[in-house]
Every structure is written in C-alpha cells, then in structure tokens.
Amino acid sequence: MFPLLAHTAIELPLEDPILKFMLIMAIVLAAPLLLNKLKVPYLLGLIIAGAVIGPHGLNLVLRDSSIILSGTAGLLYIMFLSGLEMDTADFRRTGWHSLVFGLYTFSIPMLVGIPVGYFVLGFPIHSSVLLAGLFASQTLVAYPIVSKLGITRDKAVTLAVGGTIITDMLALLVLTIVVGTATGSADTAFWYRLGISVVLCVAVILLLFPLIGHWFFRRCTDSVSQYVFVLVMVFLGAFLAQLAGLEPIIGAFLAGLAMNPLIPRTSALMNRIEFVGNAVFIPFFLIGVGMLIDYRAFFKDWQTIEVSAAMIVGITLAKYHAAVLTQKTFRLTRDQRTLLFGLSSAHVAATLAAVMVGYNVVLGHTPDGEPIRLLNESVLNGTILMILATCAVSTFATQRGAHNIAAGRTHNDEKPAASEHVLIPLSNTASVNELIGLSIGATSLRNRSLYALNAVDNRTDDPEVQKRARGILDMAASTAAAADVHMHRLLRYDVNIVNAITSVVRERNITDIVMGMHREKAVSALAAAFPSVLGQPVGPSLGKTLAAVLAQSNVTTLVYRPLQPLATIKRHVVFVPRRAEKEAGFHLWLDRVRNIIRNTGGKLVFYAPAATLEALRKGRKARQITDVEYNAFEAGWEEMPRILCTLKRNDCLWFVMSRRDRLSYQAAMGRIPGFLDDYADDNSCVLIYPVQAGDTEKRFMA
C-alpha cells in the first residue's frame, strides 16, 4: 500500500537528520509540560533527557558533529546573553565586587582541590593543581532561569556573571601554565606570547566591536541582516579568544558586553536573539551535555567512584563557602547567596576543556607501554559524573533563590504602577519603526498598551487611501509584534487628524502621545489665531496639527525627530526649564526619560537650574539610573546655543517644553525649531510637552 515505507528502515542510532531534529525538538517541547508537574527544573530535565537518548542511554542519537555544533553555539549564546543583559553602568561602578567574588570562587576551590588531589587521591603535584583548576572553573548553565524571571540586573547575578569570567580566565591560565611546565615548553617566549595575545584579544573585542556595530546598525535596518550580524560578532569574538589561547566562551561574553549598548532590552532584535537561543541553541547545548553522561562509569572501578565523589563534595563545599564569604563581604541577602551559589556551582564548558587537555597530555609510558597522562581515565569519567551532579545542584539552587528574589520584588513594590496607554498617530511608513521604538522604550513592560492611529477623511471614497491606511497600521502591528508587544490598530474616519487624535485620547484614556515632528515653513493660521493658548513653543515651524493637539489635549506628548536609530544613541541630553518641577506632569515625563535609559542604554545628561536639578535627583527611581550627569544651567534658554555647540554626533536632544502662561514657560521656547536647524541639524531630538495644571481644552474653546 505504501511502497516507500518498504525502503525506509529506521535504524539506531538515528542517522536521518529529519528524525534526529524532530526527536530533539519534541523533547524541548515536552520537557516543560512534564517536568513542571514533577517540580524538576527545566534545564536539568533537558540534561537528563540527553543522557537517556544519548549513546550511553538508549542510543537513539549520537553526539556527532551536528550536536556538537549546535551545543557549542548554545554555550556561546548563554555567555553572550549574560554579557548582553548585564547592567554595564552598574558593572563599571561596582566591577571590583565581581573581581572580589571571582577571586573568592577561584582561590577557595584551588585551596581545596590541591590537597584533595595530592593527599586524598594520591595524584602528582601537577595533576593535583590541574584538578584544582577544574574545581575553580564554572559555567552559567542556570542563567536562563534568571533571564526568564527578569532579574538579570540583580546584584547577585552581576557578581556571578563577572566572577565567572574572572575565575574561568584564571582556571584556564592555570591549565596553560601546568601543561607548559609539565611538558617543558613554558619558556620566556611562551609568557610574552600569552600576555600579548590576551591583551590584543580583549582590546579588539571591547574597542573595535562597538564601532563596527554602531556603523552597521546606523546603515542597516533589515531585521534578518541585523540578527545575522549579531551571530557573526558572537562567533568572531569566540574565535579571537581561541586564537589568544583563551576559552571561546570568554570571547562570547566580551562580545555581549561590547554589543550591550547597541541592542536595547525592549527592542525587536533582543527579542529575536532570546527567542532563537531559548528555542534552539541553548536546549541543544543542554541535551548535548546530557549525552556525555555515562552511568556505567559508576561500575567500572572503585577509583572512578572515589574521584567523582571527591570532586563533587569538594566543588560543592568550595563554591558554597565562596558564596557565603561574598555574602558577608557585600551584605547580600540569603536568597542572593543561594542564587550566587547556584549560578557558580555548575561545571561544564571550561571544565570539559581542561580535563580533555589534561587527558591528552602524555608525560611518558609505563614499562608495559601504557601512557602516563596528566589526568587519567578515572578523572575523565569522574568529571562526567560531576557535571551531572553540579548541574543538578546549580539548577535547584538557582531556581529557589531566583524565585524568592523575583517574588520579593513584586511584594515590596510601593504601589502598582499606573497603566500607560500610548497613542501613536501614523501617516507614513518612514517613521513607523522609530516611533514605535521610542514608545516601547519609554514605557514599562507590565503596564503599557500601545495604539497605532491612522485617520482617513470621512468624505473620501477612494479605496487606495483606505488600503494605504490599513497597510501602515499592519506595519505598525508587525513592528511591535517583533518586540513581543501587542499593538491596537485604530483606523478612524473623521473630519481631520486632530479631531481623530483628541477623540481617541478621551475614548481610550490615553496617557501619552508619541508623534513625529513635521516641519512647516509658513506661519500656521491656527498658531496665529490662538497665540494666548499655544504661545510660541510650536510657533511657525512645527505645524498646525501639533498646535491643535496640544490645545485640545492635556497628556504627556512626545514629538520625535529620529535621525538615527535609538539604539545607536550614546547620550540623551535633556534641557529642563526653570520651575519645571512644579508642573503637574513633572514626574510623568521624567519616568519616560528614565525608562528610555533603562531600556535602551546611553548616558543621561541634564541641564537645568539648581533647584530643578535637586528635584531631578530625588525619588526612588532616580537611584536606578547610575550613568547620569547633572549640570547647572541658570541662564535662560536664549543662551542655549553655547551648549548646543558642544554637542556630539550621537547625542539625542530632549527639550521639556511648556505652553504660554504656565509656570515653566520661557519666551525662548519659540526659538527651539531655529536652534535645531542652526546647531543640531544632524541630531535626533524629542520635544516633551508635559501634563500641566488647568484644562487646556476649555481655554482653547473659550
């Protein structure tokens, strides 16, 4: 009946790439559904699944080149994400904390590992030192747990990530030195080559990668090309580290740090990076680790059991005491200590690299011709068992500490944040991506609702006009969906765009409007007719649409001129007028600016009078921004050109505006469009019109 089936014989292990991929993806799909009921961490479940289907289990799949390739990409992905999601400003400010933890988590295992190898297991001194290096190294296997819970910027996570890089570098340096001294190749030239190559590698990744990324992202907006570019940078960083004699994971982490300012946390690109990594690469890595586990090693000889038991106990105790010492040094909570211990206790990448190098180094031969290895077969088998045990300890401890920290943050919130309903009027496709990017970056994750609006004249019957309007809204929804954000599409038939905007503001309880900056050279009739309401802020060059919207609505309004992608901005320079802190919407617009810094990166620079600067420094959220500069600017805005002349190319300018007769109004606000043309024609800028006391609409109608 089915003649093709007669020629399709399924043999084990599977060699058909279709069946292999289908089996692995089925495991990735089923693992969370089954393990959640058993209270087994998802990551540990994938490792166990790998052991079951691997060559030492049911022998369904071999750990061949395809598994190794995907697994290597997954490991590099984990390290890249850890660098990409790190709060770099906080890391620079407290980097010495990570250095201290790195020294703790390296030195304590070394002090434990050498006596265990030399006195307990009877190894030679070179083998004992290398065994201690295995104790010291660590892998961030459980990092996806903290990433999923959104606590990657917790101090314990920052310490763990920074400490992992330090201890792995030191552990691999121990490996290089031990192999060099044991084989007699550690001469003077060896040390010069090692030092120069390491310095060059770190300098190239941290200094050159950001320049390349900035150049690329300014010129390429294609989403597929941007993602492929990121992959190239990850593997290039790993390859450069390998050339320098370092482990590739260190290069991937440094690549993440280098690309950190260029990939906003709320961007579509970040969503793609996390999605592909969590769906494909990282599961392949964990399943590949499980395939290494050989349960038969328990029954081969007593020495394997002795070595594995000594390694598991020694490593667990050493890493726990390093976490305890770090807790006391920096006054961490118990949950942070548990999280720190969990993240630092797993051993996979650097440990496997070290044990394989040590196993392959032959120091001589016995009279029977057997090779004398730097690390013998019992250490190799014991390492595989140790990987399973430490990964289990790591995932359970990390899950416990991370869940408690995440729950504590929710419980300790002072009050629920108000809902943020953002309206984005759209009239052309050129500005859709940047307007949505600003709207997402300026709002908080849990409280935002975005509305894209396109207005059609209710007197037109042209189907092409309606088709074009729907096309713009569909593009907006697609752009938001790429960042995992839902967009409400609003197609309005009205007499004009102003009436459509103001009607939606009332109907949808809009809190913010984000619109593009449209420039007009002629003096608008509306601005001339109602100067007492609008004053000069919108004046002759920003258009009658904005003038009317400001006149008829009293919500935080951001008028954006995007001349470069938001992710490539290095400084956000905010000009705040005198007495702005006394306006009703002061904290609302300030939260939007701070959200931009938290979500997209960059340095925040304020120019304001001394009294206003004091208000800007206050508040709980002000402490969440570490890279901020406050500059006293007592002169009126007429003197602004002398500051604008000092602008840099990648600065974004923010002007906090006001309506006439309000507390913070200055006559020079009407000259801002001219200042932009004369001094900042190449800079992106945002005009902020905050909520102000009184009913703007009633004054306009009067």
Side-chain angles (χ1 to χ4, degrees), residues 192-205:
Y192 281 118
R193 287 195 304 269
L194 179 63
I196 293 174
S197 62
V198 169
V199 171
L200 283 177
C201 170
V202 174
V204 167
I205 294 176

Side-chain angles (χ1 to χ4, degrees), residues 412-430:
N412 292 329
D413 285 345
E414 294 179 2
K415 59 180 180 180
S419 297
E420 299 163 344
H421 301 273
V422 183
L423 177 63
I424 312 169
L426 300 172
S427 58
N428 63 78
T429 58

Side-chain angles (χ1 to χ4, degrees), residues 152-175:
T152 56
R153 299 197 172 192
D154 185 82
K155 185 175 184 179
V157 179
T158 302
L159 289 174
V161 172
T164 296
I165 298 304
I166 293 168
T167 190
D168 279 354
M169 290 183 68
L170 293 175
L172 294 170
L173 182 62
V174 167
L175 169 66

Side-chain angles (χ1 to χ4, degrees), residues 108-442:
I108 295 177
M110 288 293 295
L111 294 175
V112 172
I114 293 176
V116 168
Y118 192 76
F119 295 107
V120 177
L121 301 177
F123 291 166
I125 186 62
H126 285 110
S127 299
S128 300
V129 173
L130 187 53
L131 182 69
L134 302 183
F135 282 29
S137 64
Q138 59 195 46
T139 305
L140 295 173
V141 169
Y143 185 84
I145 294 176
V146 300
S147 179
K148 184 177 181 180
L149 292 174
I151 59 170
T152 56
R153 299 197 172 192
D154 185 82
K155 185 175 184 179
V157 179
T158 302
L159 289 174
V161 172
T164 296
I165 298 304
I166 293 168
T167 190
D168 279 354
M169 290 183 68
L170 293 175
L172 294 170
L173 182 62
V174 167
L175 169 66
T176 304
I177 294 173
V178 169
V179 172
T181 55
T183 57
S185 61
D187 54 6
T188 304
F190 165 82
W191 295 106
Y192 281 118
R193 287 195 304 269
L194 179 63
I196 293 174
S197 62
V198 169
V199 171
L200 283 177
C201 170
V202 174
V204 167
I205 294 176
L206 293 183
L207 299 180
L208 189 58
F209 277 30
L211 297 178
I212 297 174
H214 191 274
W215 175 86
F216 182 85
F217 287 130
R218 285 198 65 160
R219 287 161 177 79
C220 179
T221 58
D222 179 66
S223 58
V224 175
S225 298
Q226 288 183 345
Y227 179 75
V228 174
F229 171 77
V230 170
L231 284 184
V232 170
M233 301 307 287
V234 173
F235 284 91
L236 178 59
F239 178 69
L240 292 176
Q242 190 172 356
L243 285 181
L246 298 173
E247 188 66 17
I249 59 174
I250 296 174
F253 171 78
L254 293 177
L257 281 182
M259 302 299 291
N260 185 296
L262 300 173
I263 304 178
R265 297 175 62 200
T266 56
S267 66
L269 179 58
M270 175 65 89
N271 187 57
R272 294 187 187 99
I273 292 171
E274 292 181 334
F275 174 79
V276 176
N278 292 327
V280 180
F281 290 122
I282 295 176
F284 266 85
F285 163 66
L286 296 171
I287 291 174
V289 170
M291 290 182 179
L292 292 171
I293 297 170
D294 185 2
Y295 68 92
R296 294 171 296 183
F298 277 114
F299 309 104
K300 286 185 176 181
D301 56 61
W302 171 253
Q303 189 178 14
T304 297
I305 299 176
E306 181 184 14
V307 170
S308 61
M311 293 177 70
I312 293 170
V313 173
I315 287 172
T316 303
L317 290 177
K319 293 297 183 180
Y320 178 76
H321 282 89
V324 171
L325 195 56
T326 305
Q327 177 196 15
K328 294 181 178 180
T329 303
F330 301 119
R331 298 180 181 179
L332 304 179
T333 65
R334 291 184 61 183
D335 289 326
Q336 287 178 316
R337 180 196 67 195
T338 302
L339 179 58
L340 190 62
F341 166 66
L343 289 172
S344 62
S345 58
H347 290 63
V348 180
T351 306
L352 279 176
V355 75
M356 292 305 298
V357 170
Y359 181 76
N360 291 326
V361 173
V362 179
L363 303 177
H365 293 82
T366 65
D368 298 332
E370 293 294 327
I372 301 175
R373 303 180 184 275
L374 189 57
L375 293 178
N376 58 33
E377 188 176 356
S378 63
V379 177
L380 178 62
N381 292 329
T383 299
I384 301 302
L385 298 176
M386 178 268 294
I387 287 174
L388 174 61
T390 57
C391 287
V393 171
S394 174
T395 51
F396 278 110
T398 302
Q399 183 164 278
R400 178 181 177 183
H403 275 288
N404 289 344
I405 290 174
R409 285 189 173 185
T410 303
H411 179 73
N412 292 329
D413 285 345
E414 294 179 2
K415 59 180 180 180
S419 297
E420 299 163 344
H421 301 273
V422 183
L423 177 63
I424 312 169
L426 300 172
S427 58
N428 63 78
T429 58
S431 59
V432 169
N433 289 343
E434 293 304 321
L435 289 177
I436 293 176
L438 181 70
S439 303
I440 294 175

